[in-house]
Amino acid sequence: MSAPAPEPVRALRAPDAVGSTRRIRGWVQRSRSSGGILFLQVRDRTGTVPVTVRKDAVGEAAFKAAEAVQIEGTVEIEGTVAEDRRAPGGRELKATAVSIIHAGEPFPIVPEQTEEFLLDHRHLTIRSQDLVATIRVKAALLAAFRAFFEREEVLEITPPILTGNPAEGGSEAFTIDYFGRPGYLSQTAQLYLEAMIAPHERVYAITPSFRAEKSRTPRHLTEFTHLEVELAWCDLDGIVAFIERMIVEVLRDVATRCPEELTRLGRPPEELTGLAAPFPRLAYEDAVARLKAEGLPVEWGSDLGTAEERALTIAATRPIFLTRFPREIKAFYMRQTPSDPRTVEAADLLAPEGYGEIVGASEREIDVGKLVERLRAIGADPAEYEWYLDLRRHGNVPHAGFGLGVERLLRWILRREHIRDTTPFPRTPSRHTP
Ligand code: ATP
Ligand code: MN
């Protein structure tokens, strides 16, 4: 009789698996040997299982080889499935045959290492259970967004990352040598999304965005996953309502896709399913008054940073929309408020519990003259934005959109202290390897 084919570890949990002979393969997470018995914990993408290897069952040579396998070494094991109430999946495997795929070298990651050492070895620490759970929640989040956009008939597009002019002003753009001419890594795909609404009306993109952020904060990466949406025939109230519905539905979906991972990472899934609309709205003007009353050094016109957003959201349990910002602190493409020339039709969504901004939204300026005026005011050359200004000359319609930082949202959902713990290979001012 030929050996059974390897199966995922989760197959051992089937009700009829007990007593049968099965084969698994994976990585050795723990190993301890005592008196002719070796206890292994074997992991694959579907779970972990304790494996008991007895010298008398597998033979002297195989036992010795198995004993020499290092942490994170790889093995293929055949054995008999038995009940084990203490094991996470309720099963253990009693080995009858062991083959070593790769014994490996001593694993460098051991308890009590410094943060720097762990970041230097990120290619190995991504195997830790918390990071594994985090990356799975991130994938679930992206899948939930895509499902939501499909329901809402918003089309996924693929904007360029290499661009000829910085979309958000030059100071935070990474420049590159583009065959002898200056090029920039995209800070936002928004201008391209705006171009795509004439043919498609409702579009989104999920792309990396790059910001040479000088500020070292626990919520800034130099490369992040940017989810951007642009909707034709939409104003500020329309885009705010869309974002609200999106956050409620997407978080509910994530809670059903990975309840175990969420629980493990300290966010009970009920907290996500329980999140209900409407989210409170707070005008920038009122936010400034509140912050002043709390003794923070802000005036009308100040940009609100990490400290201010923290103060505004630390006691909140639901996200807050901050609306109608001063024109000067916001991007050139935001629509001037018709009833108040000092402000723009913009809204930021701030995550509760002190986490702060996760979405920046606005209705877009559709008046070419005002766009040119704003470009000049920020020191940009309108000639370089000719193609963008063209959009206002051919089939101009009211429209609005937003950008959401996927890692920012994940940091709040998973209550991570630092944004780098929401992404496998974080990019920060001090690190772009491994
Ligand atoms: P902040 O004031 O926090 O730097 P921003 O105003 O520069 O944010 P936007 O230009 O509006 O941000 O970008 C849209 C969204 O992209 C933000 O709401 C945030 O979720 C995310 N984002 C922006 N910069 C970063 C960054 N450096 N790292 C991670 N996410 C970011
Ligand atoms: Mn920024």
Side-chain angles (χ1 to χ4, degrees):
M1 199 181 87
S2 66
E7 290 176 282
V9 162
R10 93 177 141 222
L12 308 189
R13 296 178 190 169
D16 64 352
V18 175
S20 66
T21 297
R22 304 289 177 114
R23 181 175 277 266
I24 59 159
R25 58 186 166 191
W27 289 256
V28 171
Q29 226 169 21
R30 279 202 293 273
S31 170
R32 179 172 63 84
S33 113
S34 109
I37 310 179
L38 179 64
F39 302 97
L40 301 177
Q41 183 83 23
V42 178
R43 175 193 85 234
D44 73 4
R45 71 189 167 83
T46 68
T48 62
V49 63
V51 176
T52 324
V53 185
R54 287 173 184 276
K55 198 183 285 184
D56 51 19
V58 300
E60 176 94 35
F63 185 83
K64 271 221 157 94
E67 242 183 350
V69 174
Q70 301 288 335
I71 299 303
E72 290 299 311
T74 42
V75 292
E76 192 167 311
I77 291 168
E78 191 179 298
T80 314
V81 181
E83 299 253 26
D84 179 354
R85 288 226 171 80
R86 289 157 308 159
R91 298 284 189 274
E92 93 175 292
L93 193 63
K94 295 178 184 298
T96 49
V98 177
S99 54
I100 314 304
I101 309 300
H102 181 227
E105 297 177 24
F107 196 58
I109 312 299
V110 296
E112 317 257 321
Q113 272 155 336
T114 65
E115 193 64 37
E116 273 310 291
F117 182 92
L118 293 175
L119 286 167
D120 285 340
H121 292 80
R122 191 69 164 191
H123 50 292
L124 300 177
T125 52
I126 47 167
R127 302 179 193 187
S128 76
Q129 292 183 64
D130 276 4
L131 274 171
V132 167
T134 300
I135 298 314
R136 289 173 72 131
V137 176
K138 193 175 194 175
L141 186 59
L142 291 171
F145 272 119
R146 287 196 162 98
F148 175 80
F149 293 135
E150 183 135 24
R151 293 198 294 279
E152 295 278 330
E153 295 187 29
V154 184
L155 191 76
E156 181 162 20
I157 59 161
T158 57
I161 302 303
L162 288 173
T163 62
N165 46 335
E168 299 253 316
S171 65
E172 285 183 354
F174 283 104
T175 54
I176 53 158
D177 173 8
Y178 195 78
F179 304 109
R181 283 181 295 155
Y184 304 88
L185 296 180
S186 172
Q187 296 161 292
T188 168
Q190 186 199 311
L191 307 190
Y192 295 99
L193 269 76
E194 285 189 66
M196 298 289 275
I197 59 166
H200 302 290
E201 298 186 37
R202 299 159 71 82
V203 295
Y204 78 98
I206 301 175
T207 57
S209 274
F210 303 86
R211 307 263 172 110
E213 303 267 9
K214 293 155 295 270
S215 47
R216 290 169 194 235
T217 74
R219 57 180 212 170
H220 285 94
L221 294 165
T222 52
E223 175 179 348
F224 66 95
T225 311
H226 209 169
L227 184 154
E228 294 176 273
V229 172
E230 200 68 35
L231 304 180
W233 318 109
C234 189
D235 61 7
L236 181 65
D237 288 343
I239 202 72
V240 162
F242 181 94
I243 294 166
E244 190 173 69
R245 189 164 72 247
M246 174 186 78
I247 294 289
V248 168
E249 290 191 28
V250 164
L251 294 198
R252 204 165 284 170
D253 191 353
V254 168
T256 50
R257 283 175 196 256
C258 39
E260 283 162 33
E261 287 83 355
L262 288 165
T263 305
R264 165 174 190 96
L265 295 167
R267 173 67 73 185
E270 313 80 72
E271 289 183 10
L272 300 185
T273 40
L275 187 71
F279 302 160
R281 271 75 162 160
L282 177 64
Y284 168 88
E285 192 169 9
D286 300 329
V288 168
R290 223 168 92 183
L291 292 167
K292 274 176 96 158
E294 288 181 30
L296 276 97
V298 290
E299 293 298 332
W300 197 95
S302 311
D303 203 355
L304 307 182
T306 308
E308 291 78 24
E309 289 181 3
R310 189 179 158 76
L312 289 171
T313 62
I314 191 74
T317 53
R318 263 186 293 174
I320 301 170
F321 280 109
L322 207 57
T323 60
R324 306 243 151 75
F325 292 83
R327 207 178 177 205
E328 272 65 41
I329 61 170
K330 286 292 182 183
F332 76 92
Y333 47 71
M334 297 189 179
R335 184 178 182 215
Q336 191 172 34
T337 307
S339 60
D340 182 355
R342 299 179 311 156
T343 63
V344 283
E345 296 291 276
D348 282 359
L349 183 66
L350 309 186
E353 304 163 11
Y355 289 100
E357 181 180 336
I358 49 176
V359 179
S362 74
E363 188 174 336
R364 314 310 189 185
E365 184 59 75
I366 53 176
D367 181 315
V368 189
K370 285 184 178 169
L371 282 173
V372 170
E373 172 204 324
R374 287 302 296 154
L375 282 167
R376 292 220 172 91
I378 61 167
D381 178 4
E384 287 182 11
Y385 292 83
E386 262 311 298
W387 74 262
Y388 179 71
L389 299 174
D390 249 359
L391 305 176
R392 273 48 172 181
R393 298 180 182 121
H394 309 283
N396 204 2
V397 294
H399 62 289
F402 65 88
L404 175 150
V406 173
E407 288 83 7
R408 289 264 181 106
L409 175 58
L410 205 56
R411 175 172 174 247
W412 162 48
I413 296 178
L414 301 181
R415 296 197 156 101
R416 299 294 94 175
E417 186 70 28
H418 200 290
I419 194 168
R420 65 174 168 241
D421 291 322
T422 61
T423 202
F425 295 100
R427 297 307 186 227
T428 57
S430 57
R431 179 177 293 283
H432 59 345
T433 55

